[in-house]
Amino acid sequence: MASYKAPTREYGFLLHELLDLSRFSNLPGFADATPDLIDQIMEQAAKFSEEVLQPLNKVGDEQGCVLKDGEVTTPEGFRDAYQQLVEGGWPSLVCSPDYGGQGFPNTIGVLFNEMVSSANMAFGMYPGLSHGAYSALTHHGSDELKDIYLPKLVSGEWTGTMNLTEPHCGTDVGMLRTKAVPNGDGTYAITGQKIWISAGEHSMADNIIHLVLARIEGAPGGVGGISLFVVPKFLVNEDGSLGERNTLQCGGLEEKMGIHGNATCVMNYDGAKGWVVGEENKGLKAMFTMMNEARLGVGMQGISQAEVAYQNARDFALDRIQGRALTGPKNPDGPADPIIVHPDVRRMLMNIRAFNEGARALLVWTALWGDLAEKAEDEETRQKADDLMGLMTPIVKGYFTDKGFAHAVEAQQVYGGSGYTKEWGAEQFVRDARIAMIYEGTNGIQALDLVGRKLASKGGRAVFSFFKEVDDFVAANKDDAKLAEFITPLSDARKELEEATMWFMENALENPDNAGAGSADYLHLFALTAIALMWAQMAKAANTGLANGSGDKDYYETKLATGRYFINRILPQTTTHLTAVKAGADDVMALTAEQF
Amino acid sequence: MASYKAPTREYGFLLHELLDLSRFSNLPGFADATPDLIDQIMEQAAKFSEEVLQPLNKVGDEQGCVLKDGEVTTPEGFRDAYQQLVEGGWPSLVCSPDYGGQGFPNTIGVLFNEMVSSANMAFGMYPGLSHGAYSALTHHGSDELKDIYLPKLVSGEWTGTMNLTEPHCGTDVGMLRTKAVPNGDGTYAITGQKIWISAGEHSMADNIIHLVLARIEGAPGGVGGISLFVVPKFLVNEDGSLGERNTLQCGGLEEKMGIHGNATCVMNYDGAKGWVVGEENKGLKAMFTMMNEARLGVGMQGISQAEVAYQNARDFALDRIQGRALTGPKNPDGPADPIIVHPDVRRMLMNIRAFNEGARALLVWTALWGDLAEKAEDEETRQKADDLMGLMTPIVKGYFTDKGFAHAVEAQQVYGGSGYTKEWGAEQFVRDARIAMIYEGTNGIQALDLVGRKLASKGGRAVFSFFKEVDDFVAANKDDAKLAEFITPLSDARKELEEATMWFMENALENPDNAGAGSADYLHLFALTAIALMWAQMAKAANTGLANGSGDKDYYETKLATGRYFINRILPQTTTHLTAVKAGADDVMALTAEQF
């Protein structure tokens, strides 16, 4: 049976020692986030995740959700756990105080979400999607819509969803067919079928607020004619009480590989009453607000599964005795040594650990830029922050979920045969982690977003900002002999990333397929470089910690050793990715469709 | 719903054009294997796999096996399909004519097995394990045991199993506790519990022949005191009819991630009557005969799942319309282009395709050495063949299953969200493929077998044989300008492989962990080099085919394009693996056990 312990020491290191959030106490939300308070929040969240949510993870997988007469029953214990989530005030953590939120930075929120997701990924999707709906309404909704929906979404009394996909269109949302017909009173009658709607129906909350993309009758075809609507399960009376049931229904649950605890619904809208969010025909823009936030959240899910998979695989490796160390018995009084003595077992564990810590640093770094994009005092910082967050979003989503899954698989491998059985829980992490590479835009779409949109945007301003971050750090620390083992490989990776970037600039214009064929490799190359920057910065913070003689020597030395593993064993993959980018499209596109 | 079409054109290319089996018509079994007959066999096997086994693949996954009162019921249709397998004479294909077999080379047998496994991996394990039992008895059993058991194993009327793992020991088989007590009549009473016994109990065949590792009372501890026993489910009377039920029973079925159609049993032996196979206390050697063959078979399973996953993903990519090609509409009259126009979709499909074809070539190449090790006329060839087959076995098992799984995952990715649903079948290939990285020795064990045993054995004779194969091919074709695009990268990879090999020789003696820490990367580096050799040889065969003007121009051009993809996009991964090998053990072993 799997277990989970939230890595709160890591969180403290990242928020206080790496990012030093107290630097931003002049900004809204940050002032209240004193180190002590942050630590308290993290401890409480850890307890809730470990004790309430984690024990329901296997239950959720085994029982799944059940649809009967249009009503969805979630697994045993989910409803009660959701109630505790609401009572603890957790949904409001990073929401605006204007609507009852606690207003903390999302830099903290992403770590709270990681704990929830490590403990129970399927459960975490319910509040996760609500927050997406909250964000879309916050940024694009009218004051009237905000007043009706935000307080209840913030408190968690109501949950939210995101309705994009239809049977014939997912990525290519311009083909959608769901129709919106004006009712003449400012509302619209929404009709159509949406599929793969996570948390689309359940009875854990009093109401479900669907955000639905549809085309208003007579609007242009393609993406320029799509509008976003808020379509509640129950209509809301003027006094805020719940009125009649809207004409929408869950028509089926998807049978899927994992995240069984989350209801993946077919949603049928049959003239359901909806209100437009933001401008007509500008729905995609509003949906993107929701998706960008969701993409960071999905990247987080990659770490979350790799983290819990790591913890359990490590425990197994410390406990299971089998064979002897190559260098002689380490447990001479026992019949065999624990398998953690074997270099290949350590290689797998170190792979996961070095990823988890490096990726988590990049996650909070990116989330901090997201906070600064909204809250920084000067326009220049806000712009730079927005650039960097936009640039890193597809990287975080694509790389973290590719690797989060691969590392869940690697953790499963540590168990040998036990990893393949249901008993130990390792295989559930694999099945659950798999979806993260697909939803919120497949990782192929993330790579295309990076190469086709984010790189080119505003003359490459964002990528130059990133290079400057690296260069500034390298310049500031070039005389630090202790840091050279991190700085030099970081500089090398940065050069390779620049070379790949230049290659696209020189070759993608004449043939856009040259960008498409190398996009996935470029995304991985970028991610490795960014994580190398994180490791260099973490190494500096660890050296500082050691120099301060804080008594946590073991922690800092472990951090440095893990960083060295990343630099020497993982970072060299950049070279292969650069080669792949520069190989171009010819071999990728050589076959005719019929020759496949 | 998934489908499968056996790649018989590939088989013809490999057996006739690449290997040219007719060269060996002087050897037993090969003489009968004329190209025409081989093609006929393959066509019949294809029909059986496609029409009988494939439709049961999803049924098997959904229904699984059920244990009731010690009896195991296999999924609907399995029993009937097994009957058809037996009636078709398929189990006897590569067995010895002395016991009713058809005596064909295993080079053909592995391709038959691939078809069965692509169509239905869980089903294929039943006859697969029988063949392992056949081999162990053939090589190590007394004539008496052979006469009793082999004819029925050959015909398929009885099936076989392999009983190694116990709850506290898998890899470290020296710790096993199952006891064998002499009955005084030459038989033994076997008592103990074995777990993860594939095909351990079912009612598809009249008898099940268990091969069981146990320690004879009073034998030395460790691996030097283990003996192999044949323990039938039903005792066999002198006239060959079935006698009473032996005292062994299936005590439980494992719930697992995939291969639900195969019964993974807990087997309880309670003084069951057994006969020793080969010499007492030399059981491990006999078991290894079985395991080496099984390891090639598991490597084959990696290809089998990547092949069927590829076929279905390709069909989806040709059919699903979504978005437009970066270079302008390819389906201008439709609302969108088929997704196969997108470079990133092609990248995934080409990755899988280039692996499948290259790995399959290496599989038959290795199987041919296996046949020659037994059948070649001169001792020198037999020895070289045995060396090469032994060397390649862990590479085939480890690399093919790592990549077979990774490519099943990549195929699933092509589907987007549909790949995560049960409906399309893509996720079953992933779950089924996952076991192959684990059983018959985890891939970590394969890497250790390669680095710790196969490399060092007899002064590195096997690896030098491999280098000579490469060098001979390069020397013989160095003036072939058309082949340079394959020969040059092959030579480069060979140099890197040699560098890694030398690094081990220089650094593993002082610290064996240096071998362990780099073993997995070394295995991958070796596999890539060996597959590059296969692609160079296939390119030569394709060029010959083109020069002959056989009318199959399209086939050969596709082959060459796929080979170029492997060379330019996949082979460069060798560099990263070499870097990892040379990074050594320090970073891998830096943490104390407590620091994990």
Side-chain angles (χ1 to χ4, degrees):
Chain A
M1 190 72 166
S3 66
Y4 172 64
K5 185 96 184 60
T8 48
R9 178 65 184 94
E10 288 302 310
Y11 297 167
F13 176 76
L14 293 175
L15 298 177
H16 311 321
E17 300 175 65
L18 181 74
L19 299 181
D20 185 14
L21 285 196
S22 60
R23 285 183 294 160
F24 304 104
S25 57
N26 58 320
L27 304 181
F30 283 87
D32 298 334
T34 62
D36 279 355
L37 182 58
I38 291 175
D39 291 348
Q40 278 177 37
I41 291 173
M42 291 295 165
E43 287 302 336
Q44 286 171 29
K47 198 170 143 68
F48 175 66
S49 301
E50 291 161 11
E51 296 176 10
V52 177
L53 299 181
Q54 197 281 328
L56 299 177
N57 195 41
K58 195 171 202 277
V59 177
D61 186 55
E62 287 170 355
Q63 297 188 354
C65 296
V66 179
L67 173 69
K68 202 180 157 190
D69 304 330
E71 301 293 324
V72 169
T73 309
T74 46
E76 221 174 304
F78 269 45
R79 206 187 138 87
D80 183 51
Y82 187 78
Q83 218 47 52
Q84 292 187 52
L85 180 90
V86 171
E87 281 162 17
W90 295 112
S92 71
L93 191 65
V94 303
C95 293
S96 163
D98 296 347
Y99 296 96
Q102 301 176 61
F104 283 109
N106 197 39
T107 313
I108 296 168
V110 290
L111 296 178
F112 169 75
N113 292 339
E114 186 205 325
M115 287 186 257
V116 170
S117 186
S118 278
N120 196 323
M121 179 166 152
F123 179 91
M125 291 170 66
Y126 293 99
L129 284 153
S130 299
H131 195 75
Y134 160 85
S135 293
L137 283 169
T138 298
H139 287 93
H140 303 282
S142 64
D143 285 343
E144 199 186 336
L145 290 179
K146 287 187 198 175
D147 289 342
I148 297 170
Y149 295 106
L150 289 185
K152 300 284 192 178
L153 283 169
V154 168
S155 70
E157 288 165 271
W158 298 351
T159 64
T161 75
M162 177 167 163
N163 288 238
L164 188 155
T165 306
E166 300 182 7
H168 64 288
C169 77
T171 300
D172 194 354
V173 68
M175 297 205 293
L176 70 75
R177 291 179 192 147
T178 297
K179 263 192 330 194
V181 180
N183 287 326
D185 60 356
T187 69
Y188 293 80
I190 314 287
T191 302
Q193 187 177 67
K194 296 288 181 175
I195 62 169
W196 302 342
I197 308 309
S198 301
E201 180 56 55
H202 60 82
S203 63
M204 300 197 302
D206 296 336
N207 202 1
I208 301 175
I209 311 309
H210 302 288
L211 288 177
V212 182
L213 285 185
R215 194 183 310 278
I216 295 172
E217 215 174 27
V223 294
I226 296 174
S227 305
L228 182 67
F229 297 87
V230 56
V231 189
K233 176 179 170 184
F234 289 102
L235 299 175
V236 183
N237 298 323
E238 290 211 355
D239 64 357
S241 65
L242 294 183
E244 60 182 318
R245 186 80 154 75
N246 209 344
T247 51
L248 60 94
Q249 201 166 24
C250 171
L253 290 179
E254 215 69 54
E255 283 195 72
K256 51 201 195 294
M257 187 183 192
I259 50 165
H260 294 153
N262 200 277
T264 307
C265 302
V266 175
M267 296 301 299
N268 295 320
Y269 295 86
D270 184 15
K273 192 181 269 197
W275 288 258
V276 74
V277 178
E279 288 179 62
E280 291 184 1
N281 301 339
K282 296 277 171 67
L284 211 61
K285 197 177 156 224
M287 188 57 109
F288 262 112
T289 302
M290 203 161 165
M291 286 208 321
N292 275 333
E293 179 184 304
R295 285 173 175 182
L296 279 187
V298 174
M300 173 282 292
Q301 290 180 326
I303 302 176
S304 78
Q305 295 309 289
E307 171 67 34
V308 68
Y310 168 83
Q311 293 185 13
N312 285 279
R314 172 204 59 202
D315 292 349
F316 186 91
L318 288 167
D319 192 56
R320 173 80 171 171
I321 60 168
Q322 201 79 182
R324 291 293 186 188
L326 296 172
T327 50
K330 297 289 176 285
N331 175 33
D333 299 334
D337 290 340
I339 63 171
I340 202 158
V341 304
H342 303 305
D344 193 64
V345 170
R346 280 179 176 250
R347 175 187 65 83
M348 295 190 280
L349 290 173
M350 290 301 291
N351 274 345
I352 314 174
R353 183 187 178 96
F355 163 78
N356 288 349
E357 295 182 16
R360 187 182 290 117
L362 187 58
L363 179 71
V364 292
W365 189 81
T366 304
L368 178 57
W369 289 120
D371 282 324
L372 295 178
E374 295 211 348
K375 296 178 176 174
E377 286 172 340
D378 61 299
E379 170 59 22
E380 195 186 338
T381 306
R382 284 199 301 273
Q383 185 189 83
K384 174 185 160 191
D386 193 55
D387 282 350
L388 284 171
M389 196 207 48
L391 177 70
M392 298 316 291
T393 296
I395 295 167
V396 164
K397 198 284 184 181
Y399 187 78
F400 289 14
T401 63
D402 275 356
K403 291 297 166 186
F405 172 74
H407 290 318
V409 170
E410 206 157 33
Q412 182 188 22
Q413 190 71 14
V414 170
Y415 291 78
S418 299
Y420 199 66
T421 66
K422 299 248 170 205
E423 190 183 346
W424 290 83
E427 62 90 43
Q428 186 191 343
F429 302 138
V430 172
R431 288 184 291 102
D432 287 354
R434 182 65 184 90
I435 188 58
M437 296 159 69
I438 297 172
Y439 61 17
E440 301 306 335
T442 64
N443 287 356
I445 293 297
Q446 304 302 323
L448 212 56
D449 177 47
L450 174 64
V451 166
R453 198 172 297 144
K454 300 294 168 63
L455 273 197
S457 173
K458 295 165 191 128
R461 199 174 70 190
V463 72
F464 288 122
S465 274
F466 174 79
F467 284 135
K468 187 161 187 313
E469 286 291 308
V470 177
D471 296 341
D472 287 352
F473 184 80
V474 169
N477 296 283
K478 67 176 191 308
D479 298 329
D480 184 343
K482 272 194 190 151
L483 222 51
E485 58 181 342
F486 290 91
I487 292 284
T488 309
L490 167 63
S491 299
D492 293 345
R494 179 228 182 279
K495 271 180 222 136
E496 292 183 305
L497 178 61
E498 186 170 24
E499 192 178 337
T501 309
M502 294 307 293
W503 194 90
F504 279 145
M505 290 183 178
E506 286 159 15
N507 294 280
L509 213 58
E510 55 169 294
N511 180 8
D513 282 344
N514 277 327
S519 57
D521 281 284
Y522 183 81
L523 185 148
H524 278 237
L525 169 54
F526 209 134
L528 287 162
T529 309
I531 293 176
L533 173 63
M534 294 301 109
W535 270 115
Q537 295 185 353
M538 287 196 286
K540 186 183 162 84
N543 284 333
T544 303
L546 281 174
N548 290 347
S550 74
D552 217 353
K553 188 161 168 276
D554 194 61
Y555 176 81
Y556 297 118
E557 284 176 350
T558 304
K559 180 66 71 185
L560 286 164
T562 306
R564 280 181 206 112
Y565 184 92
F566 176 86
I567 295 292
N568 297 328
R569 295 279 304 209
I570 300 178
L571 186 59
Q573 293 165 6
T574 50
T575 307
T576 298
H577 291 304
L578 175 60
T579 305
V581 165
K582 289 166 70 183
D586 291 353
D587 295 317
V588 177
M589 305 304 287
L591 301 193
T592 64
E594 295 70 32
Q595 285 174 327
F596 273 89
Chain B
M1 190 72 166
S3 66
Y4 171 64
K5 185 95 186 58
T8 48
R9 178 65 184 95
E10 288 302 310
Y11 298 166
F13 175 76
L14 294 174
L15 299 176
H16 311 321
E17 301 175 63
L18 181 74
L19 299 181
D20 186 13
L21 284 196
S22 59
R23 285 182 295 158
F24 305 104
S25 57
N26 57 321
L27 302 181
F30 284 86
D32 299 334
T34 61
D36 279 355
L37 183 58
I38 291 175
D39 291 348
Q40 278 177 38
I41 293 172
M42 292 295 165
E43 288 300 336
Q44 285 171 31
K47 199 170 141 67
F48 176 67
S49 301
E50 291 161 11
E51 295 175 10
V52 177
L53 300 182
Q54 197 281 329
L56 299 176
N57 195 42
K58 193 170 203 280
V59 177
D61 185 57
E62 286 171 353
Q63 296 187 356
C65 296
V66 179
L67 172 69
K68 201 180 157 190
D69 304 329
E71 302 293 325
V72 169
T73 308
T74 46
E76 219 175 305
F78 269 46
R79 205 185 138 87
D80 182 53
Y82 187 79
Q83 218 45 52
Q84 292 187 51
L85 181 89
V86 171
E87 281 162 16
W90 295 112
S92 71
L93 190 65
V94 303
C95 294
S96 163
D98 296 346
Y99 296 97
Q102 302 176 59
F104 284 108
N106 198 38
T107 312
I108 296 168
V110 290
L111 296 179
F112 169 75
N113 293 340
E114 187 206 323
M115 286 186 259
V116 171
S117 187
S118 278
N120 196 324
M121 179 166 153
F123 179 91
M125 292 169 66
Y126 294 98
L129 283 151
S130 299
H131 195 75
Y134 161 85
S135 293
L137 284 168
T138 298
H139 287 94
H140 304 282
S142 65
D143 286 343
E144 201 185 338
L145 290 180
K146 286 186 197 174
D147 289 342
I148 297 170
Y149 295 106
L150 288 186
K152 300 284 193 180
L153 282 170
V154 168
S155 70
E157 288 164 90
W158 299 350
T159 64
T161 74
M162 178 168 165
N163 287 239
L164 189 153
T165 305
E166 300 182 5
H168 64 289
C169 76
T171 300
D172 193 354
V173 69
M175 297 204 293
L176 69 76
R177 291 178 193 150
T178 297
K179 264 191 329 194
V181 180
N183 287 326
D185 59 356
T187 68
Y188 293 80
I190 314 289
T191 302
Q193 186 177 68
K194 297 286 182 177
I195 62 169
W196 303 341
I197 308 309
S198 300
E201 181 55 56
H202 59 82
S203 63
M204 300 198 301
D206 297 336
N207 203 1
I208 301 174
I209 312 309
H210 301 286
L211 288 176
V212 182
L213 286 185
R215 195 182 309 278
I216 296 171
E217 217 173 25
V223 294
I226 296 174
S227 304
L228 182 67
F229 297 89
V230 57
V231 189
K233 174 178 171 184
F234 289 102
L235 299 174
V236 183
N237 298 323
E238 291 210 355
D239 64 357
S241 64
L242 295 184
E244 59 181 318
R245 186 78 154 78
N246 209 344
T247 49
L248 60 94
Q249 202 167 25
C250 171
L253 290 179
E254 215 69 55
E255 284 195 71
K256 50 200 195 297
M257 187 184 192
I259 50 165
H260 294 153
N262 201 278
T264 306
C265 301
V266 175
M267 294 302 299
N268 294 319
Y269 294 86
D270 184 15
K273 191 177 267 196
W275 288 259
V276 74
V277 179
E279 287 180 64
E280 292 183 358
N281 300 340
K282 295 277 172 67
L284 210 60
K285 197 178 154 222
M287 188 56 109
F288 262 112
T289 303
M290 202 162 166
M291 286 211 318
N292 275 333
E293 180 183 304
R295 285 172 176 184
L296 280 187
V298 174
M300 172 283 292
Q301 290 180 326
I303 302 176
S304 79
Q305 295 309 289
E307 172 66 35
V308 68
Y310 168 82
Q311 293 186 14
N312 286 279
R314 171 204 59 202
D315 292 349
F316 186 91
L318 288 168
D319 193 54
R320 172 78 170 172
I321 60 168
Q322 201 80 181
R324 290 295 186 185
L326 296 172
T327 50
K330 297 290 177 283
N331 175 33
D333 298 335
D337 290 340
I339 62 170
I340 203 158
V341 303
H342 302 306
D344 193 64
V345 169
R346 281 179 175 249
R347 175 187 64 83
M348 296 190 279
L349 290 173
M350 290 301 292
N351 274 345
I352 313 173
R353 183 186 180 98
F355 163 79
N356 288 349
E357 295 182 16
R360 186 182 291 117
L362 187 58
L363 178 71
V364 292
W365 189 80
T366 303
L368 178 58
W369 289 121
D371 282 324
L372 295 177
E374 296 211 346
K375 296 177 173 173
E377 286 172 340
D378 61 300
E379 170 58 24
E380 194 186 338
T381 305
R382 284 199 302 273
Q383 186 191 80
K384 173 183 158 191
D386 193 55
D387 282 350
L388 283 171
M389 198 209 44
L391 177 70
M392 298 316 293
T393 295
I395 294 167
V396 164
K397 198 284 185 182
Y399 187 77
F400 289 15
T401 62
D402 275 356
K403 290 298 165 184
F405 173 75
H407 290 318
V409 171
E410 207 158 31
Q412 182 187 22
Q413 190 72 12
V414 170
Y415 290 79
S418 299
Y420 199 66
T421 65
K422 300 248 170 205
E423 189 184 346
W424 289 84
E427 63 90 40
Q428 187 191 342
F429 302 137
V430 171
R431 287 184 292 102
D432 287 354
R434 183 65 185 90
I435 187 59
M437 296 159 70
I438 297 172
Y439 63 14
E440 302 305 336
T442 63
N443 287 356
I445 292 297
Q446 304 303 321
L448 212 56
D449 177 48
L450 174 64
V451 166
R453 198 173 297 143
K454 301 294 169 65
L455 272 197
S457 172
K458 296 164 190 126
R461 200 174 69 190
V463 72
F464 289 122
S465 273
F466 175 79
F467 284 134
K468 188 163 185 312
E469 286 290 309
V470 177
D471 296 341
D472 288 352
F473 184 81
V474 169
N477 295 282
K478 66 178 193 307
D479 299 329
D480 184 343
K482 273 193 188 149
L483 224 51
E485 59 181 338
F486 291 90
I487 292 285
T488 309
L490 168 63
S491 299
D492 292 345
R494 180 228 179 279
K495 270 181 224 138
E496 290 182 305
L497 178 61
E498 187 171 22
E499 190 177 338
T501 309
M502 296 306 294
W503 193 90
F504 280 145
M505 291 186 177
E506 287 160 15
N507 295 281
L509 213 60
E510 56 167 296
N511 179 8
D513 282 344
N514 277 329
S519 56
D521 281 286
Y522 182 80
L523 186 148
H524 278 236
L525 169 54
F526 209 136
L528 287 163
T529 308
I531 294 176
L533 173 63
M534 293 302 110
W535 270 115
Q537 294 185 352
M538 287 197 285
K540 186 182 162 85
N543 284 335
T544 304
L546 281 175
N548 289 346
S550 74
D552 218 353
K553 189 163 167 275
D554 193 60
Y555 176 80
Y556 297 118
E557 285 177 349
T558 303
K559 179 66 72 186
L560 287 164
T562 307
R564 281 181 206 112
Y565 184 92
F566 176 84
I567 295 293
N568 296 327
R569 295 278 306 210
I570 299 179
L571 186 60
Q573 292 164 8
T574 51
T575 306
T576 298
H577 291 304
L578 175 61
T579 304
V581 166
K582 291 167 70 181
D586 291 352
D587 295 317
V588 177
M589 305 304 287
L591 301 193
T592 65
E594 296 71 30
Q595 285 174 327
F596 273 89

